[in-house]
Amino acid sequence: MNLLALTRPDAWNLPLFVHILGAMVLVGALTLSAVALIAAWRSGSAPLTKLGFMSLFYGAIPGYVLMRGGAQWIAHKEGLDNDNVDLSWINIGFSVSDLGFVLLVVALVIGGIAVRRINRGQGGKPSVSARIATGLVSIFLIACLVAVWAMTTKPV
């Protein structure tokens, strides 16, 4: 595998960098959000709830766009985006990103409702909607870690 990395064309460097940068930002934002939301769940802290959802909005969404755009770009450069290529690690990555986008949007909508309630003074501690969003973010984070494993080990 090391020989393959040494012979990679230079034209692939930028798309791969964009993909990896986006994945790192996405996983970092999801981790920050999950930790903040779990801590808010345990302590009842409204500022931690806001931090969890703002990290989704300002970190996870841009990270997802970079990661997914870079993935499509590098797959096209390598010729792996056509239907006759069936590699399990690519299928895992695209499945996690597609399902994860749905989880991310649902968590953002539910989280926005929770933050709006906090801003209006209708509840100082995290609500049921914040707890549901915590679960969704945690599931997406675990799925992203599985995708990172698949991208690095490239199982057959």
Side-chain angles (χ1 to χ4, degrees):
M1 211 32 92
N2 290 339
L3 184 60
L4 178 65
L6 291 175
T7 60
R8 183 181 65 229
D10 287 338
W12 295 1
N13 289 343
L14 182 62
L16 186 61
F17 176 74
V18 169
H19 173 64
I20 292 173
L21 176 68
M24 289 173 55
V25 169
L26 175 64
V27 170
L30 287 174
T31 302
L32 173 62
S33 179
V35 168
L37 290 172
I38 290 170
W41 188 343
R42 297 187 74 179
S43 68
S45 171
L48 281 176
T49 303
K50 290 180 184 180
L51 172 66
F53 293 116
M54 291 302 115
S55 67
L56 284 179
F57 187 74
Y58 291 116
I61 292 291
Y64 179 85
V65 169
L66 277 177
M67 181 270 308
R68 187 69 161 111
Q72 209 54 55
W73 190 11
I74 190 68
H76 178 71
K77 284 274 191 188
E78 293 183 21
L80 300 174
D81 58 346
N82 51 12
D83 292 335
N84 60 358
V85 175
D86 189 28
L87 298 172
S88 61
W89 56 276
I90 290 180
N91 293 337
I92 290 170
F94 281 129
S95 298
V96 166
S97 71
D98 292 344
L99 180 64
F101 182 72
V102 173
L103 292 175
L104 186 60
V105 168
V106 171
L108 277 168
V109 168
I110 292 174
I113 292 169
V115 168
R116 192 170 192 192
R117 278 190 177 155
I118 290 171
N119 287 339
R120 288 186 173 178
Q122 295 175 350
K125 62 182 198 171
S127 61
V128 175
S129 60
R131 292 179 180 187
I132 293 170
T134 303
L136 294 174
V137 168
S138 299
I139 290 169
F140 187 28
L141 178 61
I142 291 168
C144 282
L145 294 177
V146 169
V148 168
W149 168 82
M151 296 291 129
T152 55
T153 60
K154 298 195 180 4
V156 178

